[in-house]
Amino acid sequence: MDFCAERIIKQRLSSERASHSVRVLDTALELAEGSKIDLEKVRLAALLHDYAKEVPPEKMLLIAREQQLLTCAAEEAQPDLLHAPVGSWLCRSELGIEDEEILQAIRYHTTGRKDMSALDIIIYLADLIEPGRSFDKADELRRVCRQDIYQGLLMAFDLTICHVIERRFLIHPFTVEARNSILLKLAHKDIKTEE
Ligand code: DGI
Ligand code: FE
Ligand code: FE
């Protein structure tokens, strides 16, 4: 693809958010080490995952309504949740990205979803554990992710859901579906873990 994703986000996002995206890229490449995942897809999805993060909430709601991207009340109550689906849509419509795997990883990077692809998981976790994050248990989550990415994913959903409950926000149904999905897969041993 003949464009520079890094330049695009540096033009579009504040320097803090652009740096976050570059750290997400470095972390995502580390998580992808040893896997067969396409690193060019990792690169584009990581750099562009927050493409819509600085779109004003009213505009995000407008685009989401026009493009029928709204899926639940949590998104209307907290329009920041829409930066993921709206970002994915903008990456297709403004940047011409057509790769569905990249678009899906961007679309679900905030909530996760059931049956996440390897690319979805890497972007979701890299976003949470990049070195700039300093929430409680961030180091523990980094350690678990390095040991076993699926256990890391489960822990990430647990932490996110607890955080959302503490703030008395609505839990996004995709986050619940994503957690149930990975929990069932781990219970059925559909995926191998390091333990
Ligand atoms: O865009 P970033 O700040 O890099 O990170 P992000 O895309 O993961 O967005 C983080 C925000 O999303 C954070 O404030 C928590 C919120 N969030 C994640 N899952 C849910 C949620 N908020 C609600 N209400 N419900 C969720 O299930
Ligand atoms: Fe985000
Ligand atoms: Fe992010």
Side-chain angles (χ1 to χ4, degrees), residues 9-149:
I9 54 148
K10 282 183 174 157
Q11 282 166 352
R12 199 182 159 93
L13 299 176
S14 68
S15 61
E16 292 76 26
R17 289 235 162 78
S19 308
H20 159 70
S21 304
V22 172
R23 291 192 299 270
V24 170
L25 169 60
D26 293 340
T27 308
L29 290 174
E30 276 171 35
L31 290 173
E33 243 169 62
S35 76
K36 289 186 200 133
I37 195 157
D38 181 335
L39 296 184
E40 189 52 27
K41 294 192 189 203
V42 172
R43 216 180 72 78
L44 283 175
L47 285 173
L48 297 172
H49 79 283
D50 276 339
Y51 185 76
K53 190 74 183 182
E54 292 173 11
V55 175
E58 320 80 61
K59 187 164 180 205
M60 213 129 64
L61 274 165
L62 203 75
I63 295 174
R65 289 202 182 101
E66 272 173 12
Q67 301 305 322
Q68 299 179 351
L69 300 172
L70 283 167
T71 68
C72 69
E75 293 165 349
E76 286 181 280
Q78 197 188 336
D80 182 51
L81 286 167
L82 291 169
H83 80 276
V86 168
S88 177
W89 182 77
L90 289 173
C91 283
R92 188 199 293 275
S93 56
E94 287 186 0
L95 304 181
I97 290 178
E98 287 177 352
D99 185 290
E100 294 299 333
E101 288 181 346
I102 295 172
L103 294 172
Q104 296 272 309
I106 297 171
R107 163 88 181 79
Y108 295 104
H109 85 264
T110 302
T111 57
R113 60 163 166 163
K114 72 173 160 59
D115 298 328
M116 288 169 83
S117 71
L119 183 63
D120 293 347
I121 294 173
I122 283 173
I123 300 302
Y124 181 88
L125 287 177
D127 188 20
L128 272 185
I129 67 170
E130 60 92 348
R133 300 281 197 195
S134 59
F135 55 90
D136 263 9
K137 304 217 176 144
D139 278 336
E140 197 182 332
L141 181 61
R142 288 182 183 108
R143 191 179 49 73
V144 176
C145 287
R146 276 199 300 272
Q147 232 180 344
D148 184 324
I149 200 153

